[in-house]
Amino acid sequence: MNAMKNRIPIRNKSQQRGMALMMGLIFLVVLTLLGMAAMRGTLLEERMAGNARDRDLAFQAAEAGLRAGEQVLGGAVLPAFATGTAYTPRIPEGTQTAYWQETHDWDGASQQLAVAPNDTAEAPRFVIEELNASPAAGGGGMGMGPLGSSTTYRVTARGVGRNPNTVVILQAVFLR
């Protein structure tokens, strides 16, 4: 009889329901779905950060192009201005974004910087437009007459990020 006391009673198959297994499987499915949702959110945030970085690179490249154009205008001698070149008379559509994005010949009618900034697909480019010549504002002090005439220029620069489809176009007006 002693042998009977140490035995663990085995339940009948009809009494076992398998609820622990079912609850465990449901719990695993819920955890898997939560993990997949977290991964999807993380991947989306990763892509957004990458796109923001690429746009920032393109913006910095366009800034470099703008500064290079302003350096040309700050020089002692200006280049000759001719239609269809990087140094051109006024472009009537020059203030329209669509013109610079779709129409302008950036390969043939722009000046490219010698060195591309790190991690960009190509070197920045710029175009300088001669807008108009106007008399200088005001006159000199102490009874002196006008200082002469000044000319307004518009510098348009195009920068590209790591992805060649990421393009930023900037403009600045320069009075000389």
Side-chain angles (χ1 to χ4, degrees):
M1 269 217 189
N2 241 352
M4 292 288 260
K5 286 184 181 180
N6 292 340
R7 284 191 181 179
I8 299 173
I10 299 175
R11 293 189 177 173
N12 196 350
K13 279 189 179 181
S14 63
Q15 291 176 337
Q16 295 181 8
R17 311 262 162 134
M19 283 306 288
L21 179 62
M22 288 301 272
M23 291 303 289
L25 289 176
I26 290 172
F27 187 67
L28 284 175
V29 167
V30 168
L31 283 178
T32 302
L33 291 174
L34 285 173
M36 288 175 59
M39 282 298 292
R40 186 181 318 171
T42 301
L43 289 175
L44 178 65
E45 289 174 10
E46 192 74 28
R47 272 189 247 133
M48 289 186 331
N51 288 341
R53 180 178 184 274
D54 199 32
R55 173 119 169 104
D56 188 48
L57 283 172
F59 184 83
Q60 291 176 23
E63 277 281 333
L66 209 56
R67 299 299 161 243
E70 289 175 354
Q71 247 182 348
V72 169
L73 290 173
V77 178
L78 290 177
F81 284 81
T83 304
T85 66
Y87 310 105
T88 181
R90 182 181 196 135
I91 299 172
E93 304 89 5
T95 57
Q96 299 174 3
T97 304
Y99 170 79
W100 295 107
Q101 290 176 343
E102 300 163 7
T103 308
H104 187 75
D105 176 22
W106 283 102
D107 291 330
S110 66
Q111 180 67 41
Q112 185 174 17
L113 272 64
V115 178
N118 291 342
D119 294 334
T120 58
E122 64 182 69
R125 296 175 172 272
F126 67 89
V127 175
I128 299 176
E129 297 172 76
E130 185 176 35
L131 298 181
N132 62 345
S134 61
M142 301 187 314
M144 300 175 98
L147 297 175
S149 65
S150 62
T151 304
T152 305
Y153 299 91
R154 179 171 46 219
V155 180
T156 305
R158 178 181 186 264
V160 179
R162 175 178 275 173
N163 180 344
N165 295 326
T166 306
V167 176
V168 171
I169 297 173
L170 299 176
Q171 286 186 329
V173 176
F174 194 87
L175 183 65
R176 178 182 163 142

